[in-house]
Amino acid sequence: MTQDEQKQQAAIAALAYVEGGIIGVGTGSTVNHFIDALATIKGRFEGAVSSSEVSSARLKALGIPVHDLNSAGDLALYVDGADEANRQLHLVKGGGAALTREKIVAGASTRFVCIADESKLVDVLGKFPLPVEVIPMARSFVARQLVRLGGTPVWREGCVTDNGNLILDVMGLEILEPAKLEQQINNIPGVVTVGIFALRPADVLILGTPAGARTVTAEST
Ligand code: 5RP
């Protein structure tokens, strides 16, 4: 089974969590499968709040109404992918540069179901370069602060986020205390969001595997 088929399998399994109302929808190739799957059950929910312009366009193209989070209020369910997940369901996200809106919609949702292929499950976060969204004028300043924290930031040139900001991808971090590092990086002036999702981790992780979709819940530390 290919990695993409595993992503699709996880996405289809997430339909079981759809119980109506407005659904929070993330961004990425795994979520694209989820959006396609949602289009097959359109009568069972009202619409979506989306975490990116790309996902909004796909939702609309499939006839799924896209709502503004300000009018939708809190959501029962958010479904999104991840670049890495550990066994406490702390995540690294932002490979698709949508991390800030993803963190907002995750924060507004009661249940966060993360969908991924099994390669995304790791013992320690940090092999995937950690995305950090920064205000353009703060790019070099933030990069120097990230070096002080032990990382090697690389500017994702040519990438402008949906919020008009830039992305630094930080290599060389072994993220042993995800919640602490999330707070430290978020406190650097000029950082909009770091792609660590530990203060608000996923509640459920659905992994596509060659043996079928597997549901993982958080191990205590
Ligand atoms: C986008 C993200 C995605 O969830 C993450 O990059 C995973 O993407 P994919 O499903 O394509 O592997 O955080 O900002």
Side-chain angles (χ1 to χ4, degrees), residues 7 27-31 80-83 93-99 102 120:
K7 290 179 182 198
T27 301
S29 56
T30 318
V31 165
D80 197 359
D83 298 301
K93 293 182 44 53
L99 61 164
E102 291 172 343
K120 303 292 180 70

Side-chain angles (χ1 to χ4, degrees), residues 2 12 21 38 40 45 75 106 113 116 126 132 146 151 158 164 192 197 206 208 214 217:
T2 65
I12 290 169
L38 274 181
T40 67
F45 64 98
L75 309 174
V113 174
V132 182
L146 292 167
V192 180
F197 285 55
I206 304 176
R214 179 162 79 91
T217 47

Side-chain angles (χ1 to χ4, degrees), residues 120-143:
K120 303 292 180 70
L121 185 64
V122 298
D123 291 328
V124 178
L125 301 175
K127 273 216 180 71
F128 188 90
L130 176 64
V132 182
E133 179 166 353
V134 297
I135 301 284
M137 73 162 284
R139 191 190 81 234
S140 298
F141 167 70
V142 171

Side-chain angles (χ1 to χ4, degrees), residues 150-178:
T152 304
V154 176
W155 175 21
R156 200 185 295 178
E157 286 193 66
C159 174
V160 177
T161 70
D162 285 348
N163 313 306
N165 297 314
L166 306 177
I167 298 285
L168 296 172
D169 291 306
V170 190
M171 287 178 274
L173 291 173
E174 197 187 19
I175 306 174
L176 297 171
E177 295 180 285

Side-chain angles (χ1 to χ4, degrees), residues 13-220:
L15 288 184
Y17 291 86
V18 175
E19 288 175 349
I22 298 176
I23 296 153
V25 172
T27 301
S29 56
T30 318
V31 165
N32 283 345
H33 286 302
F34 179 66
I35 294 172
D36 295 349
L38 274 181
T40 67
I41 58 155
K42 262 189 253 174
R44 280 174 40 194
F45 64 98
E46 272 175 60
V49 164
S50 163
S51 72
S52 65
E53 300 300 332
V54 166
S55 287
S56 294
R58 193 178 188 98
L59 287 158
K60 287 178 191 164
L62 289 169
I64 298 171
V66 175
H67 298 258
D68 185 313
L69 182 63
N70 289 308
S71 36
D74 284 344
L75 309 174
L77 175 66
Y78 179 56
V79 178
D80 197 359
D83 298 301
E84 284 184 337
N86 68 15
R87 287 176 176 74
Q88 285 72 48
L89 307 195
H90 303 144
L91 313 173
V92 165
K93 293 182 44 53
L99 61 164
T100 299
R101 294 188 188 191
E102 291 172 343
K103 202 175 276 196
I104 293 166
V105 185
S109 301
T110 306
R111 182 185 259 167
F112 176 4
V113 174
C114 182
I115 51 176
D117 65 90
E118 66 174 355
S119 73
K120 303 292 180 70
L121 185 64
V122 298
D123 291 328
V124 178
L125 301 175
K127 273 216 180 71
F128 188 90
L130 176 64
V132 182
E133 179 166 353
V134 297
I135 301 284
M137 73 162 284
R139 191 190 81 234
S140 298
F141 167 70
V142 171
R144 291 195 294 279
Q145 307 309 307
L146 292 167
V147 169
R148 287 192 185 170
L149 289 174
T152 304
V154 176
W155 175 21
R156 200 185 295 178
E157 286 193 66
C159 174
V160 177
T161 70
D162 285 348
N163 313 306
N165 297 314
L166 306 177
I167 298 285
L168 296 172
D169 291 306
V170 190
M171 287 178 274
L173 291 173
E174 197 187 19
I175 306 174
L176 297 171
E177 295 180 285
K180 187 176 166 194
L181 189 64
E182 182 176 359
Q183 277 170 319
Q184 276 178 315
I185 296 179
N186 276 343
N187 278 341
I188 300 170
V191 168
V192 180
T193 323
V194 61
I196 301 174
F197 285 55
L199 298 168
R200 199 286 177 244
D203 299 301
V204 175
L205 171 63
I206 304 176
L207 292 174
T209 82
R214 179 162 79 91
T215 299
V216 181
T217 47
E219 277 177 17
S220 50

